């Protein structure tokens, strides 16, 4: 990890700690503050889950497209290899028949 990454992680940790302390010492009573923290945590968790599921769907679509392209290329190569093999076979038979 380089210095910039460490600084960013440290800054993020300090920010989150500051927010948590600010909520805990806010003029609201403890019950309301805990309810607010729980609500925000649930919102963050829900958003993270939604983004994760959306990313999985997008990756699945991309994987399917890559697979289709790969199979198409494999089939094209197989067809070309078959054509070359047939051509070589014809030339070999022609050469053998000519020499007989």
């Amino acid at each position: 990890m380089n210095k910039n990454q460490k600084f960013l992680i440290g800054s993020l940790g300090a920010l989150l700690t500051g927010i948590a302390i600010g909520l805990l010492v806010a003029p609201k009573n403890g019950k309301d503050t805990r309810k607010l923290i729980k609500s925000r945590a649930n919102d963050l968790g829900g958003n993270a889950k939604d983004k994760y599921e959306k990313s999985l769907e997008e990756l699945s679509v991309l994987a399917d497209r890559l697979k289709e392209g790969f199979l198409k290329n494999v089939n094209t190569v197989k067809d070309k290899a078959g054509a070359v093999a047939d051509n070589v076979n014809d030339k070999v038979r022609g050469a053998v028949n000519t020499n007989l």
Side-chain angles (χ1 to χ4, degrees), residues 72-84:
K72 182 179 177 183
N73 287 336
V74 166
N75 288 332
T76 300
V77 169
K78 284 169 91 175
D79 293 342
K80 287 182 181 181
V84 168

Side-chain angles (χ1 to χ4, degrees), residues 30-95:
K31 184 177 181 181
D32 291 339
T33 301
R34 286 189 297 277
K35 188 185 267 187
L36 177 63
I37 291 172
K38 182 178 179 183
S39 172
R40 296 269 169 91
N42 286 337
D43 290 345
L44 287 173
N47 289 340
K49 182 179 177 185
D50 291 342
K51 287 182 182 183
Y52 173 76
E53 289 173 353
K54 183 178 178 183
S55 296
L56 282 180
E57 290 173 17
E58 291 174 356
L59 285 172
S60 177
V61 168
L62 180 60
D64 288 342
R65 287 178 46 201
L66 287 171
K67 181 179 175 183
E68 288 172 12
F70 178 76
L71 292 176
K72 182 179 177 183
N73 287 336
V74 166
N75 288 332
T76 300
V77 169
K78 284 169 91 175
D79 293 342
K80 287 182 181 181
V84 168
D86 290 341
N87 189 16
V88 168
N89 189 23
D90 290 343
K91 287 184 179 184
V92 168
R93 285 183 186 200

